[in-house]
Each structure stands twice: as C-alpha cells, then as structure tokens.
Amino acid sequence: DAGVIQSPRHEVTEMGQEVTLRCKPISGHDYLFWYRQTMMRGLELLIYFNNNVPIDDSGMPEDRFSAKMPNASFSTLKIQPSEPRDSAVYFCASSLKRVDAFFGQGTRLTVV
Amino acid sequence: AQKITQTQPGMFVQEKEAVTLDCTYDTSDQSYGLFWYKQPSSGEMIFLIYQGSYDEQNATEGRYSLNFQKARKSANLVISASQLGDSAMYFCAMREYLFGNEKLTFGTGTRLTIIP
C-alpha cells in the first residue's frame, strides 16, 4: 500500500480564497483524522471520522472550516474563506481500531 | 484541560547517553492507548511505540522503551544509547475509546537535540 496520500504538498493562496486539502487513507482503515500543526499550538485534532461518519468536530476552529468523507477512500478539508492565521501544516492520518495511526506527508498551507 | 502534557519543550543530550522524554496524561477511561511518534526535520510523523492501558509489561521496541506508570498517569519514552539521528520532535499521544469511537490527541512535543 502507498500509505496515506495527501494533496497538494504545498499550497500558497491569497486571503479570502477557498482552499481544499485532500486525503486518501490507507485501504481498509476505518478511522481518519485531520490535524493542524503550528509552532504555537502544536498538533491539534480538528475532526475525525469513523467509517466515513464525522464523530467529533469540536477541534474545527470556526465555521470557515469544513470536512467531508464521501467514501472510505477520500476525504477533504475545506477552508472558505482562508485567512493568514490558517497558515500551518495540515496532516491527515488513518488507522484501524485500537492501533497506531499512519500519517500522510502533510500539506503546508500558506495564506498571504 | 490538556489531555496530554509534555513539560520539556526542548532537550539537549550527549550522543550515546540515554534520554527520557516525559509525558503525563489525563483520562477517566479505563481502556486507552498511549503512543509515541517522532517527527524529524523532514516533517513526516513516524510511529515509535505503543502501550495499552491494560498491558502489564512496559512496551519496548529496539532502543525505545515506554516507562508506563498507570497510577501516576505517566508514559515516559526512554531512548537508550542515543544517536545523532534521534534529533527530532517527539510527540506523546493518547487514544481514548469513547462510546465505541476512538479519539487520538497529541501533546505539544519535545524537541530533542543530540550533541556529538
């Protein structure tokens, strides 16, 4: 398996634009997590899914952030409109029940 | 309240010495899992070691061992015979099993630098 695949690896966008981050989890994994990593706040859990169903989105910072998982092999994290303070590395991770999570390479987002 | 606390933002250790990275956690669940991940400067997250709350033995994986003290709610990572390649950020994480769902949260990390 190729592991968790995130795209794009880098994204630079202007403030106010919509940004969509994509994640393909490892086949067969039933959990998918979205994290945001910044120097100030470390790794924050934004939202996680179990069997494509969002379970806990309490970490999503505001209504500008939304996440979907239309099927077991694809998830998106959308920011609309984007702001400079959204600049961070966004990680997607997938796992099976009760074992360690495998992380994607991350998407480095810069909002100017 | 912080679920995972790592009190050492940074550590400098001489090569070949052992190093202990601290982690304390907070949960009211009886069943949970504790993990350590390494993040080198390249940015990827690498799984190192896992300890289940019901495991009686401390977990070990090569040079990594987890010093699990359940009553103190601590899960310190011990790296024996440190190497230059161990320089990285280290994250402690907890997987809580909540009503059939599993949440995985991370501490703020410790930046370990190995000095030659």
Side-chain angles (χ1 to χ4, degrees):
Chain A
D1 201 314
V4 177
I5 299 172
Q6 289 187 247
S7 63
R9 291 292 308 278
H10 302 273
E11 176 82 32
V12 180
T13 191
E14 290 186 347
M15 182 173 64
Q17 296 296 308
E18 177 179 298
V19 176
T20 299
L21 311 181
R22 297 173 177 79
C23 176
K24 182 181 188 313
I26 292 174
S27 176
H29 281 189
D30 49 4
Y31 280 87
L32 185 139
F33 304 85
W34 281 101
Y35 293 90
R36 177 173 69 176
Q37 186 176 28
T38 60
M39 289 290 291
M40 292 296 294
R41 302 169 78 97
L43 263 170
E44 301 173 274
L45 176 63
L46 301 177
I47 185 171
Y48 76 100
F49 296 82
N50 180 15
N51 291 317
N52 314 339
V53 176
I55 302 302
D56 185 347
D57 65 355
S58 60
M60 297 285 259
E62 8 184 319
D63 291 346
R64 298 184 296 105
F65 286 69
S66 63
K68 292 182 180 179
M69 192 165 185
N71 57 61
S73 58
F74 185 65
S75 177
T76 58
L77 178 68
K78 187 178 291 187
I79 309 172
Q80 165 64 15
S82 57
E83 296 182 5
R85 61 194 168 120
D86 301 331
S87 297
V89 179
Y90 291 81
F91 284 102
C92 173
S94 73
S95 78
L96 289 170
K97 207 172 170 61
R98 297 195 176 226
V99 295
D100 61 290
F102 291 82
F103 279 73
Q105 297 278 65
T107 295
R108 182 174 295 278
L109 173 65
T110 304
V111 183
V112 297
Chain B
Q2 281 284 357
K3 287 281 189 176
I4 298 280
T5 302
Q6 295 180 253
T7 56
Q8 308 150 309
M11 287 186 72
F12 290 84
V13 172
Q14 203 75 39
E15 189 181 6
K16 297 181 185 168
E17 289 185 353
V19 56
T20 298
L21 305 181
D22 295 340
C23 173
T24 56
Y25 59 92
D26 181 26
T27 181
S28 54
D29 292 342
Q30 294 302 307
S31 181
Y32 52 89
L34 297 157
F35 302 81
W36 278 92
Y37 284 81
K38 173 183 179 180
Q39 186 179 42
S41 56
S42 51
E44 72 265 37
M45 294 287 285
I46 302 167
F47 165 73
L48 294 178
I49 195 167
Y50 164 80
Q51 178 89 38
S53 59
Y54 290 117
D55 295 340
E56 295 186 356
Q57 304 272 356
N58 284 344
T60 59
E61 288 286 347
R63 293 187 299 113
Y64 303 109
S65 60
L66 200 152
N67 183 1
F68 181 46
Q69 298 189 36
K70 195 169 181 177
R72 290 186 169 186
K73 293 189 175 178
S74 77
N76 298 340
L77 177 70
V78 180
I79 306 174
S80 63
S82 57
Q83 302 170 357
L84 295 178
D86 294 333
S87 295
M89 281 289 286
Y90 288 80
F91 292 94
C92 179
M94 177 170 63
R95 188 142 192 181
E96 295 176 281
Y97 310 127
L98 308 167
F99 308 110
N101 290 302
E102 303 188 11
K103 189 171 185 176
L104 180 64
T105 52
F106 284 76
T108 51
T110 296
R111 182 172 296 281
L112 175 65
T113 303
I114 306 299
I115 306 165

